[in-house]
Amino acid sequence: MPHSTNKELIFGIMVGTTGISLLLLWYHKARKSRTALNLPKFLSLGSKFDSMTFQDEMYNGRGTVAIFQGRQLQILEKLNELLTNMEELKEEIRVLKEIVPKLEEYIQGELGGKITVHRISPQHRARKRRLATVQSPTTGNSSEEAESEGGYITANTDTEEQSFPVPKAFNTHIEELHLDVLLQKVDNLRMNESSKMESFELLCDHKEKFRDEIEFIWRFARAYGDMYELSTNAQEKKHYANIGKTLGEKAITRAPMNGHCHLWYAVLCGYVSEFEGLQNKINYGHRFKEHLDKAIQFLPEEPFLYYLKGRYCYTVSKLSWIEKKMAATLFGKIPSSTVEEALQNFLKVEELHPGFSKSNYLFLAKCYIDLEQTDDAVKFCNLAVLLPCVTKEDKDAQKEVKKISTSLKR
């Protein structure tokens, strides 16, 4: 393993440890100050203030109000400090989560010299096999890599291939397609879950030729979203989400009146937010809602848009007070929605496209449970079970539907 990587790893662990230590120091200080504050005495204005008597307070109402306001301000400041430290702790934990998986590679490198081991995803193994078939015999062994049956790669060189592909041409002999033919073929391939990767590769093969065509750009962004969904590796997901969001930004800049551009930019903002802290999550949440509304304005008959808006409304309706307070602090506006609003969007999906998805039926059931309408909840659980499981989202929804159905029968 390169010496610079060792230093970065050790430095990262030191930073993480330092962050946690600072949080513990803050906690002890906060605990001492909290111990000093006797809540009942504070509320009753008892012997907490040695210079004031009950009679003084009766004649000095303004002073009492000022004291209350001062104490309230102190409590708000402490709450804000707590939220800030919680966010810093989450960031430290996120950094540690990124560093810890590298320990295996680091230890293996220290014990075994240049031999390193890393896990790759099934999608990447499939791409490597496909690329190997078009390599010339003279270059086939240049990387000195061999793949084991367990899904690992062993390498004898210091340069290792990333666990996600660089968006380049996948085939040495590319069939030249006109734009309309290419887009039709891409859309047809994407209708089948197992062909989404092939659709992505086809777009990669033609990106140099059609990179300035808006219909190509938003489909390319959508394809990166598909790869995000197909991937099982966190770093791959982050890679696909970030590139897709960049393409989405390019699309909405060039075609601000195109609903598909706003739709997939909104979706990719949602994907990127999964790797961000609370502040950026809220920021991306506002972007998601803004561009989702624009997409609905340009594509009012697209059921997928109402499903996404229903999900947004349902999530916002479940936000805690602290999360809403953070949003108000950062943006001056508290995001608000209700379960009823979410329900109307999910019902709109069913109106436009009956049996749209297993997930839409799942969230219809959840809304009716929250509204204490059990019969309707059972109805949509039963409808969800009847739909086939095609995607990973369908499989996850199926598991949740079964749990809900079981709980409703009790």
Side-chain angles (χ1 to χ4, degrees):
M1 185 174 185
H3 182 63
S4 61
T5 305
N6 295 349
K7 290 173 66 179
E8 291 171 2
L9 179 63
I10 294 170
F11 177 73
I13 294 174
M14 290 174 65
V15 170
T17 306
T18 303
I20 294 173
S21 300
L22 289 172
L23 182 66
L24 289 172
L25 286 173
W26 172 85
Y27 172 77
H28 286 302
K29 289 181 181 179
R31 187 176 180 184
K32 288 180 181 178
S33 63
R34 191 163 58 247
T35 303
L37 177 63
N38 189 315
L39 190 59
K41 291 181 180 179
F42 168 68
L43 293 175
S44 62
L45 294 177
S47 59
K48 180 71 178 177
F49 310 106
D50 296 330
S51 62
M52 294 179 63
T53 63
F54 181 76
Q55 289 78 9
D56 291 333
E57 294 165 16
M58 293 291 292
Y59 293 106
N60 194 6
R62 291 184 181 179
T64 304
V65 172
I67 292 170
F68 268 117
Q69 291 176 342
R71 289 299 178 184
Q72 288 174 345
L73 181 60
Q74 289 179 10
I75 291 172
L76 288 174
E77 288 175 350
K78 286 292 183 183
L79 178 59
N80 184 59
E81 184 180 356
L82 174 62
L83 292 173
T84 302
N85 281 277
M86 286 175 63
E87 185 62 28
E88 290 175 354
L89 176 60
K90 286 174 66 176
E91 178 64 19
E92 294 293 342
I93 292 173
R94 185 187 68 79
V95 172
L96 286 173
K97 283 183 177 180
E98 291 179 358
I99 293 174
V100 169
K102 296 179 182 178
L103 287 175
E104 179 186 358
E105 185 177 350
Y106 170 72
I107 295 169
Q108 186 72 23
E110 290 295 310
L111 296 177
K114 291 185 177 181
I115 299 176
T116 59
V117 180
H118 63 91
R119 171 73 73 177
I120 62 171
S121 70
Q123 291 86 5
H124 186 48
R125 290 200 299 274
R127 288 192 293 272
K128 284 183 66 64
R129 284 194 294 271
R130 193 153 41 244
L131 286 169
T133 61
V134 297
Q135 277 188 321
S136 64
T138 57
T139 60
N141 298 325
S142 61
S143 67
E144 298 180 18
E145 293 186 349
E147 184 176 348
S148 71
E149 293 180 358
Y152 289 90
I153 283 182
T154 58
N156 294 324
T157 64
D158 289 333
T159 57
E160 294 181 353
E161 186 173 338
Q162 289 178 308
S163 61
F164 42 78
V166 177
K168 59 184 179 182
F170 283 91
N171 303 300
T172 54
H173 302 290
I174 300 174
E175 180 187 358
E176 289 293 332
L177 298 174
H178 291 294
L179 180 61
D180 291 342
V181 176
L182 172 66
L183 299 181
Q184 185 63 49
K185 188 172 183 180
V186 164
D187 290 343
N188 290 339
L189 284 170
R190 191 177 177 274
M191 293 176 68
N192 190 333
E193 188 75 8
S194 62
S195 300
K196 284 185 176 180
M197 187 186 297
E198 187 179 348
S199 174
F200 171 73
E201 292 174 358
L202 188 60
L203 289 165
C204 287
D205 289 340
H206 290 80
K207 76 182 187 71
E208 295 299 330
K209 183 177 180 180
F210 300 118
R211 64 190 311 157
D212 294 324
E213 298 289 343
I214 194 64
E215 291 297 315
F216 179 89
I217 296 171
W218 73 254
R219 283 177 172 83
F220 206 12
R222 179 184 67 180
Y224 271 100
D226 292 340
M227 294 303 293
Y228 170 94
E229 290 289 349
L230 290 172
S231 178
T232 56
N233 177 276
Q235 287 303 313
E236 278 192 14
K237 281 180 171 290
K238 185 175 182 179
H239 169 78
Y240 290 130
N242 281 318
I243 294 182
K245 182 180 75 72
T246 301
L247 286 167
E249 288 172 347
K250 180 179 178 181
I252 61 174
T253 300
R254 294 195 177 190
M257 306 291 285
N258 188 311
H260 295 288
C261 297
H262 289 285
L263 162 59
W264 294 106
Y265 178 65
V267 169
L268 285 151
C269 282
Y271 290 156
V272 170
S273 72
E274 293 298 315
F275 304 96
E276 300 292 337
L278 179 58
Q279 180 173 344
N280 284 339
K281 278 184 185 293
I282 295 171
N283 186 10
Y284 278 118
H286 278 269
R287 287 197 214 177
F288 176 88
K289 178 64 163 53
E290 175 190 352
H291 290 279
L292 192 61
D293 288 342
K294 288 182 179 179
I296 290 174
Q297 178 184 346
F298 298 123
L299 300 170
E301 300 300 314
E302 173 54 58
F304 183 48
L305 289 169
Y306 296 98
Y307 169 72
L308 291 175
K309 189 170 183 180
R311 290 288 301 267
Y312 172 84
C313 294
Y314 189 82
T315 300
V316 170
S317 73
K318 299 295 182 180
L319 286 179
S320 66
W321 178 86
I322 290 180
E323 289 169 325
K324 289 181 179 180
K325 178 68 175 177
M326 283 293 295
T329 302
L330 294 169
F331 298 100
K333 181 181 179 182
I334 299 177
S336 63
S337 190
T338 62
V339 174
E340 288 84 354
E341 189 177 354
L343 176 62
Q344 292 307 311
N345 280 284
F346 293 130
L347 289 173
K348 181 69 174 179
V349 175
E350 183 67 5
E351 175 190 331
L352 293 172
H353 190 309
F356 175 75
S357 73
K358 194 179 288 284
S359 293
N360 193 62
Y361 282 148
L362 166 64
F363 278 94
L364 278 166
K366 284 185 173 184
C367 288
Y368 280 119
I369 289 172
D370 291 341
L371 297 172
E372 299 182 352
Q373 298 180 30
T374 306
D375 291 342
D376 287 320
V378 171
K379 168 189 169 183
F380 284 107
C381 280
N382 293 337
L383 288 172
V385 171
L386 295 177
L387 292 179
C389 286
V390 179
T391 66
K392 181 181 180 297
E393 185 182 15
D394 290 337
K395 294 175 183 177
D396 293 339
Q398 179 80 351
K399 292 177 183 177
E400 198 165 354
V401 165
K402 288 183 177 179
K403 289 180 181 178
I404 292 175
S405 297
T406 302
S407 65
L408 291 174
K409 291 176 181 177
R410 292 174 182 172

